[in-house]
Amino acid sequence: MKIIVCAKQVPDTTEVKIDKVKNTLIRDSAPSIMNYEDENALEEALRIKEQFPDSYITVISMGPPQAKDMLEECIAQGADEAILISDRELVGSDTWATSNVLAAGIRKLSGFDLILTGRQAIDGDTAQVGPQLAEKLGIPQVTYVKEVTVNDNEIIAKRTLENGYETLKLKTPCLLTVTRELNQPRYMTIKGIYNVKNQEIKVWNIKDINVDLTEVGLDASPTKVVESFVPTSKGKGTVIEADSAKEKVAILLEKLKEKHI
Amino acid sequence: MNFSPTKEQLMVRKMIKQFAHNEMKPIAQLTDEEARYPQETIDKLGKLGVMGMPMPKEYGGAESDYVAYAGAIEELSKVCSSTGLIVQTHVALCCWPILTFGTQEQKRKYLPDLVAGRKLGAFALTEANAGTDAAGLQTKAVDMGDHWVLNGTKAFLSAAGIADVYIVMAMTDKSKGTKGISAFIIEKGTPGFNRGKKEDKMGIRGSLMAEQIIKDCIIPKENLLGEVGKGFKVAMASLDVGRLGVACQALGIAQGAFDETVKYMKSRKQFGKSLDKFQALAFEMADMKTRLDCTRLLILNAADRRDKGLPCTTETAEAKLYASETAVYVTNKAVQFHGGYGYTKDYPVERMMRDAKITEIYEGTSEVMRMVISGDIFR
């Protein structure tokens, strides 16, 4: 099975600081990491490879040159090949432009059976690139996948819903966007780390992929960021202190009555 | 010497850091309290290739450099120094001597399982009346023609009874002093080879330490490691690798305690301000940080020389001496800066202070390190 994993390098938003004047992320304040759900996508690919050992895993990413570090870690975890699409012309691409680039990169590869990618990236939370990519490649997709079963050319995916899940059956080739529930990503291995030097990370620019320049980059992106801001806190919660649960409930009811709730 | 880490060295550190945080931190306190051997952690480290990382590929290793290995032991020991010790003893004092002094058959027989972490290694030199003074070894090996018979009792043996493969030093000719010592490989389960009294230790309580009793133990001829009478050389060369590991373990303990203290000082308020705002304390932290970095450079020097195949006995002794004394110094201050809380088991610095002390003692005491270093000065 030929598996493609789409991954993004993102700032670790749990550590990121925000410029209080400009209201933008201070990129240098946080280390760059692989987007969490993309790690789950890679992990699932590695598990499928354990089940079908002749599988081949290609990780593909669009990003700045330093995203190579993330791809090297993918190799150290067990991916067979990694490709970085990096070009100054791509800076500022929104989800539509990004999916154009990824689709062009994937078309250059010699076919695939399954594309796995994270549901969304923690820096943008759009959850759009995966679905757009499937549309542009003309393949079926299932989003928010929390469980995957692979039988020959058939994929069974459990898709998370607000109040449960639905089970869908797909023919390959297809695309799944996955959630963190899906699995527990593995660590790099020492052997994997020392294998990285034998695996060149391919770096493609826009000339290497067949993409129209009018469809990528900031100018071609239909989404314009008008403003970024830190949401204001909605006020603090109150802890009701009293000796017994009964008293606490009484105070709570009193307060709710005051607010006419 | 390259002061900038390679890509591999950075990745190894990152991976071990993640592993230690997720898998070891939650059980580190319990490991100490219950003096429980962290078998599940060792199994996981085996699968990740850590248990034999510098060993050659043909035996399943990654052929990692020793600078990367040093980083791994430091990161493990930051969180749980018992685990750091278990890994380093296994690699330095069992895998390494078999690789270096073993025959092709011995390497093929023992290394694949040891390197994969399926089997654990141990090293038995010390006895009740001999350790630093190796010529005083009482354990005897007698050549019976087609086999050896060993008798004696080993003391303070890490992983006694748990380990599967033991490198055991015994006298084959008492009259020759250290030149009468030979090294043997003894497998767990060999009749007459049994664990004795377990030690109740002050620190590194997750690493089991006990007596090992060797009584009329029949050892096949092919289990002699290296030549007859060359056991002291096997032991000393292995201890050079082991001392690098202890230095890294000590650095890990010290850095772990330091990091805990930085965190605590920022949150603990007295006289209306957090502790880091008190210059007297902040200056002491500056001294500690400087000593930590000195230690790291000494370790880098020793490991880099080992990677390049240069002599490194003195450099390793310097690293071990300075690292262990730094660990005792830093953990003592860490407890002090935590005040009363530091003396309780609610904070890890209490455990770290107890763990630090052993690094000044085992695999050559600080006094022995000074003997090695001064011996080199006045050669």
Side-chain angles (χ1 to χ4, degrees):
Chain A
M1 177 167 265
K2 279 188 183 172
I3 308 169
I4 293 171
V5 175
C6 301
K8 184 181 186 185
Q9 193 187 41
V10 291
D12 187 348
T13 49
T14 54
E15 293 194 26
V16 80
K17 293 190 178 74
I18 290 171
D19 186 318
K20 284 180 184 148
V21 182
K22 290 189 242 162
N23 271 331
T24 51
L25 299 183
I26 307 170
R27 283 301 289 251
D28 293 344
S29 71
S32 291
I33 56 167
M34 179 157 161
N35 180 47
Y36 293 132
E37 289 174 333
D38 297 342
E39 283 187 353
N40 299 102
L42 174 60
E43 174 61 31
E44 201 58 27
L46 292 165
R47 288 182 189 199
I48 295 170
K49 187 170 171 160
E50 280 165 4
Q51 192 189 345
F52 302 99
D54 59 344
S55 298
Y56 189 84
I57 303 170
T58 304
V59 184
I60 190 164
S61 182
M62 182 187 100
Q66 61 267 31
K68 227 175 143 178
D69 295 346
M70 171 194 79
L71 293 173
E72 284 169 346
E73 290 180 14
C74 295
I75 298 285
Q77 281 179 284
D80 297 291
E81 181 188 26
I83 298 158
L84 174 65
I85 305 176
S86 191
D87 198 306
R88 295 187 75 87
E89 299 285 345
L90 301 174
V91 173
S93 292
D94 69 353
T95 60
W96 182 80
T98 302
S99 58
N100 285 338
V101 172
L102 289 174
I106 289 169
R107 278 191 207 105
K108 197 182 147 142
L109 297 168
S110 56
F112 61 89
D113 299 298
L114 176 64
I115 299 177
L116 290 163
T117 188
R119 172 187 55 147
Q120 61 189 33
I122 56 170
D123 58 346
D125 277 359
T126 64
Q128 292 167 355
V129 173
Q132 288 176 2
L133 184 57
E135 287 303 310
K136 284 167 189 173
L137 292 169
I139 54 169
Q141 58 170 297
V142 179
T143 52
Y144 300 81
V145 171
K146 66 164 194 160
E147 201 180 308
V148 179
T149 314
V150 180
N151 305 317
D152 298 324
N153 295 324
E154 187 184 80
I155 309 270
I156 300 162
K158 279 190 184 166
R159 176 173 191 266
T160 313
L161 303 173
E162 271 185 17
N163 51 356
Y165 63 85
E166 58 185 358
T167 306
L168 295 123
K169 206 185 269 185
L170 303 91
K171 286 255 181 289
T172 57
C174 62
L175 179 145
L176 310 178
T177 80
V178 308
T179 66
R180 288 188 83 177
E181 267 181 278
L182 178 63
N183 54 39
Q184 178 65 43
R186 68 191 63 195
Y187 301 100
M188 294 182 269
T189 65
I190 303 287
K191 268 193 217 172
I193 289 170
Y194 280 84
N195 181 37
V196 168
K197 59 175 175 285
N198 306 319
Q199 290 282 340
E200 195 203 347
I201 309 289
K202 289 180 190 136
V203 183
W204 290 348
N205 58 30
I206 45 169
K207 283 182 202 136
D208 295 314
I209 54 172
N210 188 14
V211 67
D212 192 332
L213 264 177
T214 61
E215 293 183 345
V216 298
L218 182 66
D219 293 342
S221 292
T223 319
K224 303 285 177 225
V225 177
V226 180
E227 189 192 355
S228 338
F229 59 95
V230 184
T232 48
S233 158
K234 286 177 186 166
K236 283 180 183 168
T238 345
V239 177
I240 299 169
E241 305 271 11
D243 291 336
S244 68
K246 208 170 177 180
E247 285 173 60
K248 285 181 195 172
V249 172
I251 298 169
L252 176 65
L253 287 173
E254 200 56 45
K255 291 204 171 177
L256 291 175
K257 244 186 226 169
E258 274 171 30
K259 291 182 188 280
H260 307 290
I261 297 170
Chain B
M1 181 164 61
N2 190 358
F3 287 91
S4 314
T6 63
K7 191 189 300 170
E8 286 88 356
Q9 290 158 6
L10 286 172
M11 286 168 94
V12 166
R13 213 178 248 280
K14 182 172 178 181
M15 165 235 170
I16 300 281
K17 203 175 194 149
Q18 284 171 344
F19 178 87
H21 183 267
N22 297 340
E23 316 286 335
M24 290 161 56
K25 205 169 184 175
I27 58 167
Q29 195 185 348
L30 208 65
T31 302
D32 174 69
E33 267 174 31
E34 296 179 357
R36 195 179 62 87
Y37 184 82
Q39 185 65 52
E40 66 276 47
T41 305
I42 301 304
D43 291 344
K44 288 175 196 163
L45 287 171
K47 291 200 176 92
L48 293 171
V50 179
M51 297 304 282
M53 57 186 279
M55 294 293 119
K57 285 184 184 146
E58 61 174 311
Y59 302 114
E63 283 178 28
S64 82
D65 48 273
Y66 278 90
V67 174
Y69 166 77
I73 302 296
E74 182 196 335
E75 289 298 333
L76 292 171
S77 304
K78 263 189 204 173
V79 173
C80 171
S81 61
S82 294
T83 306
L85 173 78
I86 294 166
V87 176
Q88 92 84 13
T89 307
H90 170 86
V91 172
L93 302 182
C94 188
C95 297
W96 191 86
I98 292 177
L99 175 73
T100 310
F101 299 101
T103 61
Q104 276 307 321
E105 289 69 29
Q106 287 171 339
K107 287 190 242 185
R108 271 200 289 268
K109 182 173 178 190
Y110 295 108
L111 285 178
D113 282 342
L114 288 168
V115 169
R118 289 187 292 268
K119 285 191 173 167
L120 189 73
F123 176 85
L125 168 69
T126 303
E127 297 176 2
N129 295 311
T132 301
D133 180 11
L137 284 189
Q138 302 287 320
T139 299
K140 263 191 240 163
V142 180
D143 189 347
M144 303 299 281
D146 61 348
H147 64 268
W148 295 91
V149 173
L150 269 72
N151 274 291
T153 303
K154 293 291 175 184
F156 309 137
L157 175 55
S158 290
I162 294 177
D164 304 281
V165 181
Y166 298 73
I167 309 297
V168 178
M169 301 300 150
M171 278 290 179
T172 41
D173 188 347
K174 182 83 182 159
S175 66
K176 289 185 181 161
T178 55
K179 289 192 173 125
I181 300 172
S182 302
F184 297 88
I185 303 171
I186 304 186
E187 292 178 39
K188 183 184 187 174
T190 303
F193 189 66
N194 294 303
R195 180 163 76 197
K197 178 183 157 274
K198 276 194 211 174
E199 304 295 346
D200 191 5
K201 305 196 298 304
M202 174 186 187
I204 52 159
R205 293 175 59 79
S207 155
L208 185 142
M209 187 194 270
E211 253 182 358
Q212 186 77 13
I213 297 156
I214 311 167
K215 193 166 186 323
D216 299 329
C217 219
I218 295 172
I219 307 298
K221 276 262 143 163
E222 65 266 24
N223 280 27
L224 175 76
L225 181 65
E227 293 170 42
V228 173
K230 295 282 171 67
F232 188 66
K233 191 181 152 201
V234 172
M236 289 304 115
S238 305
L239 283 171
D240 272 351
V241 192
R243 284 166 190 168
L244 175 67
V246 175
C248 302
Q249 184 202 16
L251 174 60
I253 299 170
Q255 186 69 54
F258 181 85
D259 294 345
E260 288 293 335
T261 308
V262 169
K263 204 165 67 187
Y264 183 78
M265 286 174 72
K266 285 185 186 166
S267 65
R268 172 74 171 170
K269 286 202 173 85
Q270 291 285 274
F271 303 103
K273 52 186 180 179
S274 55
L275 294 190
D276 59 308
K277 300 291 188 299
F278 292 85
Q279 199 178 46
L281 303 185
F283 274 20
E284 289 218 51
M285 292 299 281
D287 289 344
M288 283 184 240
K289 171 75 166 45
T290 307
R291 282 190 66 159
L292 288 169
D293 285 341
C294 282
T295 306
R296 201 166 277 112
L297 288 173
L298 285 171
I299 288 173
L300 178 61
N301 185 37
D304 181 67
R305 290 183 69 87
R306 176 162 294 282
D307 282 329
K308 293 194 170 108
L310 297 168
C312 56
T313 300
T314 311
E315 290 79 2
T316 308
E318 288 171 14
K320 199 246 176 200
L321 172 64
Y322 198 74
S324 56
E325 295 193 346
T326 296
V328 170
Y329 163 78
V330 170
T331 52
N332 183 31
K333 288 284 179 194
V335 169
Q336 188 69 27
F337 286 16
H338 277 71
Y341 292 109
Y343 200 66
T344 70
K345 290 187 193 294
D346 292 344
Y347 287 84
V349 289
E350 179 270 344
R351 162 170 56 90
M352 291 164 169
M353 184 176 169
R354 285 184 287 108
D355 285 356
K357 184 61 204 173
I358 189 63
T359 63
E360 289 185 321
I361 299 170
Y362 61 18
E363 302 196 24
T365 60
S366 290
E367 290 71 24
V368 168
M369 295 307 106
R370 291 190 166 91
M371 277 164 60
V372 170
I373 300 161
S374 62
D376 187 58
I377 300 170
F378 300 110
R379 222 167 355 159

